[in-house]
Amino acid sequence: MSANQVALWYLVASICFIFALKGLSHPTTARRGNALGIIGMAIAVVVTLAVVYSASKNVAMILIGIAVGGAIGAVIARRVQMTQMPELVAAFHSLVGMAAVLIAIAAVHNPTALGLANPIPAGNKLELFIGTFIGAITFSGSVIAFGKLSGRIRSAPVIFPGQQLLNLAIGVAMVGFGIWFFMADPREHYWLPYVVMTGLAFLLGFLLIIPIGGADMPVVISMLNSYSGWAAAGIGFSLNNPMLIISGSLVGSSGAILSYIMCKAMNRSFISVILGGFGAEGGTAVAGTEQKQVKSGSADDVAFMLSNADSVIIVPGYGLAVARAQHAVKEMANALREKGVNVRYAIHPVAGRMPGHMNVLLAEAEVPYDQVFEMEDINSDFGSTDVVLVLGANDVVNPLAEVKGSAIYGMPILEAHHARTVIVNKRSMAAGYAGLDNPLFYMDKTMMVFGDAKKVVEDIVKALA
Amino acid sequence: MTAPDPIVVNLIVFVLAIFVGYHVVWTVTPALHTPLMSVTNAISAIILVGAMLAAGPAVFDWGGWVGVLAVAMAAVNAFGGFLVTQRMLEMFKKKEPKTVAPEKKQAGS
């Protein structure tokens, strides 16, 4: 196959990827989009296989690698629980990051195999440097994000004095070694600066993510999504491969947009999220407030209130995901609908641990998507709603967001406090991620139901029958 | 005038692709943001192309093994990413596809 033919096939594959993203504008077109994505990937792989075969005939190991990796990926994709999606995505990001680093190492070791001149021209070295450090940061950052999301390490922010300064110093040192690598010649002198630079990048990725706490994970995971794309694009630049550049840029801009949406939904700047530590210092403020009275009730009380309502809005949060209560919630909604109650769901953009987390859980429980509403579409309806049922959400319904001077002032919230009655299910009175007390819990019209979301909802279903 | 350097051509492709990505991704409905993340994840496994070049050198030494490892990692992503996206989208399918009016608005508009 000529280089021109290869490039044209890559163009076809790239267009498939663009349609894969485009399809996600609506649930009915999304599956066709995904199928096109698979076709695009297949084209890219087959064409590349042909290129390698005509150059060296050494394709056996490649096929074995694809078979082993593909089998592992297929098994994981089949077995993973929907509640585990955030950690799965984080784990996948780390693989892309590591693959980028490995490719760069192989390129430094044997430039000609990857179509580079030997010694490597300065421009390609610069690009290898960029691909390597983004890949390395993506890898170690994603490993930490994976650990936090899966509960293998504590999700609380880890902060220590001089943290930002240390990160800055490491970043500067990394760039310094990058410049050394850039200047180094001949090839025997590449390794020392390259290895040190890569090590520093791994360290930096680790240090960048440890200060970021659980509820900021939607931003982090979107950001790492973006990085994994830029890493692929960086490698594409160093290998002069338009396929990698185009796909990497698509992914990079997608992740960047998601990060932006998530930041906006928390009314926080991207920088403040990245610097981390949010909520860690707020814990003391809660302890300082005097004990206020809340009204608490049982599942039977809730069932009575729900069945007497005309309209109910359910606000799911991370607590629902933790308790895996989505199926029980669906059952409850069905029972209420049979009684003629209008049940809808309101989703805050940062509910859960990744963008769209709640939507997927509800879809898994076969909740029709026309009952599920985004924040801006349903917020004006809370005032005319009889009962709002908040399941394991806290900060996203905190009316303090409307109070000047509070830590979350200006964050768009679901205006649950405008409803006639509010029922809040939580495991305990512990403060939310922002470390703030929630005045919603102390309102006269609010009833608290303590306990695991799944258990509580199942009890409600029993009481409704 | 001679043809521009490959790096300039790459830069042009890069910038234009970002524009395409930016405009396409804003049309994605917020309800499908998780599948968006998993499908972009699968797409970023295109790094497989680079890994395959690294895994098939004329003389197969340790650099080849590094490439094979990269191939395997990227393949986990490619297969896992597309399949899990498929699985998620199947869940969105079972619903009656009637009058849905999913959000035209985006957080950024």
Side-chain angles (χ1 to χ4, degrees), chain A residues 10 17-18 21-22 24-28 30-31 34 37-38 41 44-45 48-49 52 56 58 61-62 65-66 69-70 73-74 77-78 80 82 85 89 92-93 95-96 98 100 102-103 106 109-110 113-114 127 221-222 225 230 237 239-241 243-247 249-251 253-254 257-258 260-261 264 354-357 359-360 363-364 366-370 374 377, chain B residues 6-7 10-11 13-14 17-18 20-22 24-58 60-63 65-66 68-73 75-98 100 102-103 105-108:
Chain A
Y10 282 165
F17 287 162
I18 293 170
L21 297 180
K22 181 95 190 135
L24 290 168
S25 58
H26 196 278
T28 50
R31 273 165 302 124
N34 195 52
I38 294 172
M41 184 62 76
V45 168
T48 311
L49 211 53
V52 175
S56 73
N58 273 340
M61 290 310 294
I62 296 176
I66 292 178
R78 184 152 308 169
V80 70
M82 285 301 128
M85 276 313 294
V89 167
F92 278 174
H93 289 155
L95 291 177
V96 175
M98 196 63 205
L102 292 176
I103 294 166
H109 169 66
N110 185 356
L114 286 107
E127 293 154 353
I221 202 166
S222 313
N225 184 242
W230 302 131
F237 268 97
L239 305 183
N240 276 328
N241 188 316
M243 178 85 237
L244 287 184
I245 296 176
I246 295 172
S247 318
S249 316
L250 291 175
V251 175
S253 44
S254 166
I257 289 173
L258 287 176
Y260 169 81
I261 294 174
K264 207 171 146 70
M354 73 185 293
H357 194 182
N359 301 84
V360 169
E364 185 192 17
E366 299 184 26
V367 172
Y369 53 72
D370 50 2
E374 302 300 322
D377 297 325
Chain B
I7 188 163
N10 287 344
L11 196 65
V13 170
F14 178 66
I18 290 175
V20 172
Y22 179 86
V24 170
V25 170
W26 272 118
T27 67
V28 173
T29 171
L32 294 178
H33 275 165
T34 296
L36 172 67
M37 293 206 81
S38 63
V39 86
T40 50
N41 216 293
I43 291 175
S44 63
I46 191 64
I47 203 154
L48 189 54
V49 166
M52 287 166 77
L53 297 178
F60 196 91
D61 57 356
W62 68 265
W65 285 109
V66 170
V68 172
L69 189 59
V71 166
M73 285 179 148
V76 171
N77 230 305
F79 282 75
F82 280 120
L83 289 175
V84 88
T85 307
Q86 178 116 341
R87 224 183 103 195
M88 265 190 273
L89 293 175
E90 292 294 326
M91 294 169 182
F92 281 92
K93 158 184 133 184
K94 288 168 193 152
K95 327 295 149 345
E96 61 275 54
K98 49 172 198 195
V100 237
E103 345 19 69
K105 293 172 252 174
Q106 260 93 30

Side-chain angles (χ1 to χ4, degrees), chain A residues 86-87 89-90 93 141-151 153-158 208-225 258-259 262-263 266 268 273-274 278 318 349-355 357 433, chain B residues 37:
Chain A
E87 61 213 66
V89 167
H93 289 155
S142 298
V143 167
I144 299 301
F146 171 77
K148 289 192 175 208
L149 287 164
S150 61
I153 55 177
R154 281 185 62 230
S155 74
V158 177
L208 280 175
I209 306 301
I210 52 166
I212 305 178
D216 274 339
M217 277 302 157
V219 179
V220 170
I221 202 166
S222 313
M223 182 187 84
L224 291 168
N225 184 242
L258 287 176
S259 313
M262 294 300 114
C263 284
M266 295 194 291
R268 302 188 56 202
V273 173
I274 296 314
F278 191 63
Y318 183 55
V350 292
R353 285 292 183 264
M354 73 185 293
H357 194 182
Y433 174 67
Chain B
M37 293 206 81

